[in-house]
Amino acid sequence: MPPLTPLILKLALDTPLDVEFDYRWQPKSADDPPPCIGQLALVPFGRREVVGLIVAVQESSVYAPEKIRDVTEIRHQLPPLLSHWVALSRFAADYYQRPLGEVVVPCLPKNLRALKATALNAALKKTEAPPLAANTTASKGPDLNAEQQAAVGAISAANEYGVTLLFGVTGSGKTEVYLRSAEKILDREQRQGTLAQVLILVPEINLTPQLENSIRARFPGLSIVSLHSQLPEGERTRSWLSAHLGYASIVLGTRLAVLASMPNLKLIIVDEEHDPSYKQQEGLRYSARDLAIWRARDLNIPVVIGSATPSMESWHHAESGRYKKRVLAQRAATQAVLPTISLIDMERIKTTEGLSPPLIDALRTRLARGEQSLLFLNRRGYAPVVHCDACGWISHCQRCTAFMVLHKPERRLRCHHCSLELKIPWSCPTCGNVNLQPLGRGTQRIEEHFHVLFPEARVLRIDADSTRKKGSAQAAFETVHRGEVDILLGTQMVAKGHDFQRLTLVGVINPDTALFSHDYRAGERLFAQLMQVAGRAGRAGQLSQSEVLVQTRYTQHPLYRALIAHDFPGFAAATLEERSSAGLPPFVFQALLRAESKTLNMALEFLQHARELLPHPGIVINEPVPMTMTRVAGVERAQLLLESPARGALQHFLKRWVQELRKQPTRIRWTLEVDPIDI
Ligand code: ADP
Ligand code: ZN
Ligand code: ZN
């Protein structure tokens, strides 16, 4: 019998080293199935064992045979990840400058990466195949209006790559367009005898239950799974496997779902494409929207990105013709009209506890009519600082460039940036004055005042503090949907996506700080947020005309002028004009190197050194500067901004630069972010 020849497998492992590791696979018999790309394998690594992904199978290695260790086990029971999926991961790793192993391994559910195969086997057993005669026929939804029909027609007719920007005002029925397009594409593929899958991305976990229920009701015959970070591990594994095995026809998920393995993917939908939560802010700092578009192009399938306030990047591409724009200009539900938006001039009006008389009157009217109101204040806690009138002491955090926020119900001062918590001091720590004052107001303070103003009203506050317990956010939103709340009050958590049926008033207090932010995206974000929150009002139609009242000191500011006119295109045109003349994205491409250290000087010196490491024609590397919030939890932070009008040139430079940076002997912690959204 001839000796069985071994193979060399290259594996991506979850390590910070940007290399693929060679292992030897020795067949035990002639009919031992050979390993292939995309399979998982258990291998020795140092003194441990780890699970990695096979990314290449070769006959030989450049390393000496005695240096190469043997594979422990191949996970044959799991069908391999397809080459398109590996390509997507490789692109993400390259583009965001991380090792491939740090992309492909952590995105697998834990049970698949477990050292013992039993977890995987058990999960496979529990993952149910869909019924054989799967029925794509959907239960009937509302009759589409002309705009919706045109959008669905265009999206579902496409059999190839193309980005559709669905620009639809709040309540215009974008969801209906997503569902009908999905239905048509699933239907078409079924008639052709091919399997099909649809991926729907949403920004928030809190929004998945409502959408998931409507999808399930619409497609009773299909297997639908959701994927997000708060799923219990077992369920997440089953969802992942169901997508990977092609059982799930629809996968609904948050940003991490963009990396789900879906062998029959035929359509991708990204709802609220402008939302900052599509950007992962640690580890692999990817944009799920951008990866979704890359993935669609690689697979040559259509992708739909939807929003009432698209990102400047997407709007720019739509204007230049790279993306196709589809407009839904009207609200969809019968008689539902957009709310009127008015400004309350805070320069001229006296307030009580931050609330103006017109806003209080409007709230009172809603209470009398039995309609719901929403009050939006993007600041949690009772007051952002505590202050001593006598000596000027102010509640700074000892560890951060930030104030300690007063949390009255919890009787604590809390820093929102590190975990520091203190009891509220009885008296001023410097002068002993017992009369410390809260300055400014957060959601808790408004809530307290509402109880005084409207003792009979049912007030509910929803923010990160009131929803700490798992599942409590969803429970809170359900109370609102059941109509058991008169006044809902909260931070951006209440602004997004919810389809509240009895809500006719939205009040916005204190939005002005964003107008003067150092972050060039603050205006774009504020506009989107205000449009979103305004969009929660008047969605049903049978109630009275709904209104949005915005308290501001800058009634003439162009952003507010565009807002009251519901004029997103005007706002976007002006913003893009500014960006173009200031040389900002989307007209240039950026990357940000951040350094953290015990002293600010060490961080700045490291960045200065990094700046001079390589010649960089065509790339501007700015001076290193301290970050706006310089200190967090006792760590000093600085950053270096790179810019280039050419994405390719920037990518090319970053690749070489990161290799050099990795070689630098330094104890500074650094991270690189490509296309940063917070600068
Ligand atoms: P968007 O996502 O654009 O904000 P939704 O998809 O939530 O809007 O739709 C808003 C409301 O309009 C929902 O209650 C939905 O059921 C309803 N709706 C959607 N399309 C139609 C239609 N063609 N006719 C009647 N009602 C519709
Ligand atoms: Zn004092
Ligand atoms: Zn702190």
Side-chain angles (χ1 to χ4, degrees):
M1 202 170 105
L4 299 164
T5 39
L7 291 171
I8 298 298
L9 309 183
K10 281 197 172 295
L11 266 86
L13 304 179
D14 185 9
T15 76
L17 301 171
D18 194 6
V19 285
E20 285 152 18
F21 298 84
D22 284 13
Y23 286 90
R24 183 186 306 102
W25 175 77
Q26 182 72 56
K28 304 222 165 44
S29 68
D31 45 0
D32 209 359
C36 67
I37 295 175
Q39 281 183 315
L40 301 183
L42 182 69
V43 293
F45 186 70
R47 284 194 228 153
R48 305 178 290 144
E49 287 200 306
V50 294
V51 169
L53 177 80
I54 303 174
V55 292
V57 180
Q58 330 177 132
E59 302 200 327
S60 61
S61 167
V62 294
Y63 300 105
E66 66 275 13
K67 291 251 155 99
I68 301 179
R69 303 170 79 179
D70 285 329
V71 170
T72 313
E73 182 181 274
I74 309 274
R75 297 277 150 90
H76 282 290
Q77 59 274 61
L78 186 74
L81 289 140
L82 297 187
S83 60
H84 276 294
W85 186 86
V86 178
L88 172 69
S89 308
R90 206 179 273 285
F91 168 76
D94 281 349
Y95 188 80
Y96 296 108
Q97 310 294 337
R98 303 289 290 197
L100 180 62
E102 278 194 358
V103 179
V104 292
V105 180
C107 81
L108 302 172
K110 282 205 189 81
N111 291 330
L112 269 66
R113 288 181 269 147
L115 300 188
K116 293 223 163 67
T118 41
L120 170 60
N121 295 341
L124 279 167
K125 221 184 248 164
K126 278 196 204 139
T127 310
E128 284 165 35
L132 270 181
N135 177 6
T136 51
T137 329
S139 65
K140 210 172 155 312
D143 290 333
L144 297 184
N145 60 38
E147 287 178 330
Q148 286 174 316
Q149 239 165 35
V152 171
I155 295 162
S156 57
N159 222 341
E160 57 188 13
Y161 169 71
V163 185
T164 303
L165 173 63
L166 186 62
F167 169 53
V169 300
T170 53
S172 59
K174 293 187 285 295
T175 313
E176 203 52 48
V177 172
Y178 304 148
L179 296 187
R180 294 297 172 94
S181 306
E183 179 192 349
K184 288 217 158 166
I185 287 179
L186 291 172
D187 224 35
R188 177 188 76 201
E189 299 291 322
Q190 197 193 33
R191 270 185 278 111
Q192 293 170 356
T194 27
L195 295 165
Q197 293 178 299
V198 175
L199 173 62
I200 304 179
L201 299 179
V202 291
E204 286 273 321
I205 302 163
N206 291 327
L207 296 179
T208 54
Q210 205 183 7
L211 190 56
E212 196 178 335
N213 291 342
S214 24
I215 299 178
R216 281 191 199 286
R218 189 59 69 79
F219 301 104
L222 292 186
S223 161
I224 294 149
V225 300
S226 65
L227 267 177
H228 55 76
S229 58
Q230 309 237 307
L231 281 181
E233 204 51 45
E235 200 177 330
R236 180 161 166 200
T237 310
R238 284 196 296 282
S239 289
W240 193 94
L241 283 174
S242 181
H244 174 63
L245 298 170
Y247 297 167
S249 301
I250 298 180
V251 174
L252 171 67
T254 53
R255 64 171 178 260
L256 59 87
V258 77
L259 289 169
S261 158
M262 298 177 67
N264 309 315
L265 187 57
K266 292 293 182 317
L267 171 68
I268 307 179
I269 290 160
V270 184
D271 189 24
E272 310 290 6
E273 65 88 22
H274 65 280
D275 199 294
S277 50
Y278 281 123
K279 179 89 192 213
Q280 163 96 2
Q281 296 290 16
E282 58 195 27
L284 179 76
R285 291 161 189 258
Y286 63 96
S287 152
R289 185 221 28 232
D290 293 353
L291 285 184
I293 291 172
W294 191 91
R295 190 172 188 180
R297 194 173 58 183
D298 181 55
L299 291 168
N300 198 26
I301 59 169
V303 53
V304 182
I305 62 177
S307 176
T309 51
S311 63
M312 288 303 126
E313 281 75 10
S314 301
W315 190 256
H316 177 57
H317 287 324
E319 295 290 278
S320 70
R322 225 171 112 180
Y323 296 171
K324 283 163 286 181
K325 185 164 73 184
R326 282 274 152 198
V327 183
L328 306 181
Q330 310 294 329
R331 284 209 158 164
T334 346
Q335 290 171 357
V337 286
L338 285 171
T340 57
I341 306 180
S342 341
L343 306 174
I344 299 177
D345 187 350
M346 299 300 280
E347 285 291 339
R348 302 197 193 181
I349 276 184
K350 267 185 74 81
T351 62
T352 33
E353 281 291 328
L355 299 172
S356 63
L359 181 55
I360 295 174
D361 288 346
L363 285 163
R364 191 160 282 136
T365 313
R366 295 317 183 291
L367 283 173
R369 287 197 206 128
E371 296 169 1
Q372 287 178 324
S373 305
L374 186 161
L375 198 97
F376 174 62
L377 167 60
N378 212 3
R379 181 170 265 168
R380 64 193 172 87
Y382 187 85
V385 293
V386 176
H387 171 249
C388 168
D389 281 341
C391 76
W393 174 84
I394 198 158
S395 57
H396 284 286
C397 174
Q398 308 149 12
R399 309 197 289 172
C400 308
T401 325
F403 297 119
M404 300 284 289
V405 177
L406 173 61
H407 285 251
K408 203 171 171 190
E410 300 93 335
R411 299 171 170 280
R412 286 281 189 279
L413 292 181
R414 268 190 196 152
C415 173
H416 289 180
H417 303 279
C418 65
S419 47
L420 191 61
E421 267 201 23
L422 303 171
K423 280 197 186 137
I424 302 175
W426 285 110
S427 59
C428 173
T430 39
C431 76
N433 170 17
V434 290
N435 200 10
L436 293 177
Q437 296 297 324
L439 272 189
R441 46 187 64 78
T443 46
Q444 292 176 344
R445 190 165 181 178
I446 300 291
E447 181 189 22
E448 184 183 89
H449 189 56
F450 277 161
H451 288 307
V452 177
L453 267 180
F454 311 115
E456 72 289 359
R458 297 165 298 176
V459 176
L460 179 70
R461 169 169 60 87
I462 299 187
D463 57 26
D465 298 311
S466 77
T467 54
R468 249 159 225 237
K469 271 203 298 192
K470 214 172 178 171
S472 59
Q474 206 191 320
F477 284 117
E478 276 161 16
T479 345
V480 186
H481 286 300
R482 281 199 304 269
E484 291 163 14
V485 173
D486 300 313
I487 304 179
L488 170 64
L489 149 85
T491 54
Q492 37 86 26
M493 277 186 79
V494 300
K496 290 182 187 174
H498 294 277
D499 199 8
F500 300 126
Q501 292 288 309
R502 299 196 50 78
L503 199 110
T504 61
L505 172 70
V506 170
V508 178
I509 53 185
N510 220 348
D512 291 338
T513 41
L515 297 177
F516 308 102
S517 169
H518 56 93
D519 183 342
Y520 71 92
R521 281 178 205 264
E524 175 183 354
R525 226 173 272 148
L526 176 64
F527 192 89
Q529 219 165 40
L530 294 179
M531 270 296 179
Q532 280 291 318
V533 71
R536 297 315 104 211
R539 296 174 72 87
Q542 68 278 32
L543 305 165
S544 52
Q545 167 67 40
S546 60
E547 60 176 339
V548 179
L549 300 176
V550 181
Q551 295 191 168
T552 170
R553 294 190 179 279
Y554 305 91
T555 52
Q556 294 310 312
H557 195 286
L559 186 149
Y560 293 131
R561 304 317 297 177
L563 183 79
I564 58 178
H566 293 269
D567 182 15
F568 176 81
F571 171 76
T575 306
L576 284 171
E577 180 76 45
E578 273 170 34
R579 300 264 183 97
S580 165
S581 51
L584 287 168
F587 302 96
V588 301
F589 299 91
Q590 298 181 326
L592 201 57
L593 181 67
R594 294 202 175 96
E596 296 186 347
S597 172
K598 271 207 194 107
T599 70
L600 186 58
N601 257 347
M602 282 163 68
L604 289 168
E605 266 167 33
F606 170 78
L607 293 177
Q608 188 58 36
H609 172 66
R611 188 174 181 230
E612 289 155 9
L613 217 45
L614 288 179
H616 47 87
I619 317 279
V620 175
I621 307 187
N622 294 277
E623 291 278 334
V625 288
M627 284 175 66
T628 316
M629 184 166 297
T630 313
R631 192 156 27 101
V632 169
V635 176
E636 305 285 341
R637 310 175 320 153
Q639 67 184 30
L640 188 64
L641 179 67
L642 290 77
E643 298 173 292
S644 173
R647 179 176 257 162
L650 182 60
Q651 276 289 316
H652 185 72
F653 172 74
L654 290 178
K655 179 119 244 163
R656 290 184 303 128
W657 196 46
V658 167
Q659 277 168 7
E660 284 305 313
L661 284 171
R662 287 215 169 95
K663 288 187 211 149
Q664 302 306 307
T666 177
R667 290 172 61 195
I668 305 266
R669 228 180 77 92
W670 58 268
T671 52
L672 181 75
E673 182 162 0
V674 181
D675 303 332
I677 59 167
D678 290 302
I679 291 189

